[in-house]
Amino acid sequence: MAGYSILLVDDATFMRMAVAQMLADTEFQVVGEAANGIQALERYRTLWPDLVLLDVVMPEMDGQQTLVGLKQLDPQARVIMASSLGEASRQREFIAAGAKDYLVKPYEQERLLQALRQAVQA
Ligand SMILES: [Mg+2]
């Protein structure tokens, strides 16, 4: 099974745990986690993962700023944004800034896997 490395970025520990559980026994391997954008950029530099799942609302540096930073660091970065329904109106803004997709939390495993699979094939 071909594997893809993924960095999980969310300030909520339980959310990262839930995603990690959903990705267990799939082709996606969680190689790192971050609780804010600053950590995310640090981890990305070290890990250079195939994918980033990026929360929007976070302290220190939010998801939008982080997206910009990631794309500056690596224009090829594959980033999927995720947030609550309240941020969904910003979806087009995120896609325009280079995000591959946008997911509404709480995560549904099917939709999550679909988004990740599409992102690595694109
Ligand atoms: Mg958050």
Side-chain angles (χ1 to χ4, degrees):
M1 183 161 63
Y4 299 98
S5 56
I6 179 166
L7 172 64
L8 303 183
V9 186
D10 198 304
D11 57 316
T13 308
F14 76 92
M15 202 56 89
R16 300 197 306 269
M17 285 174 66
V19 172
Q21 220 159 38
M22 284 183 190
L23 297 181
D25 303 320
T26 71
E27 68 271 44
F28 301 101
Q29 190 191 357
V30 178
V31 292
E33 297 188 14
N36 62 56
I38 295 165
Q39 280 182 10
L41 291 171
E42 282 174 7
R43 303 274 146 82
Y44 193 92
R45 279 193 197 94
T46 314
L47 300 167
W48 217 257
D50 296 314
L51 290 155
V52 180
L53 186 63
L54 180 59
D55 183 27
V56 174
V57 182
M58 296 186 294
E60 310 292 337
M61 184 189 282
D62 72 10
Q64 185 172 23
Q65 292 172 287
T66 308
L67 173 63
V68 172
L70 286 168
K71 297 303 281 190
Q72 280 173 353
L73 194 60
D74 176 13
Q76 307 303 317
R78 298 183 184 106
V79 183
I80 294 169
M81 308 289 286
S83 198
S84 58
L85 199 56
E87 306 293 322
S89 61
R90 298 171 67 193
Q91 177 169 358
R92 286 164 75 180
E93 186 185 330
F94 298 139
I95 301 294
K100 291 277 189 192
D101 206 341
Y102 177 87
L103 301 174
V104 174
K105 294 196 281 188
Y107 294 103
E108 291 165 19
Q109 188 176 30
E110 287 291 306
R111 177 75 182 94
L112 174 64
L113 288 172
Q114 177 199 42
L116 296 177
R117 284 173 181 147
Q118 265 173 15
V120 290
Q121 276 160 24

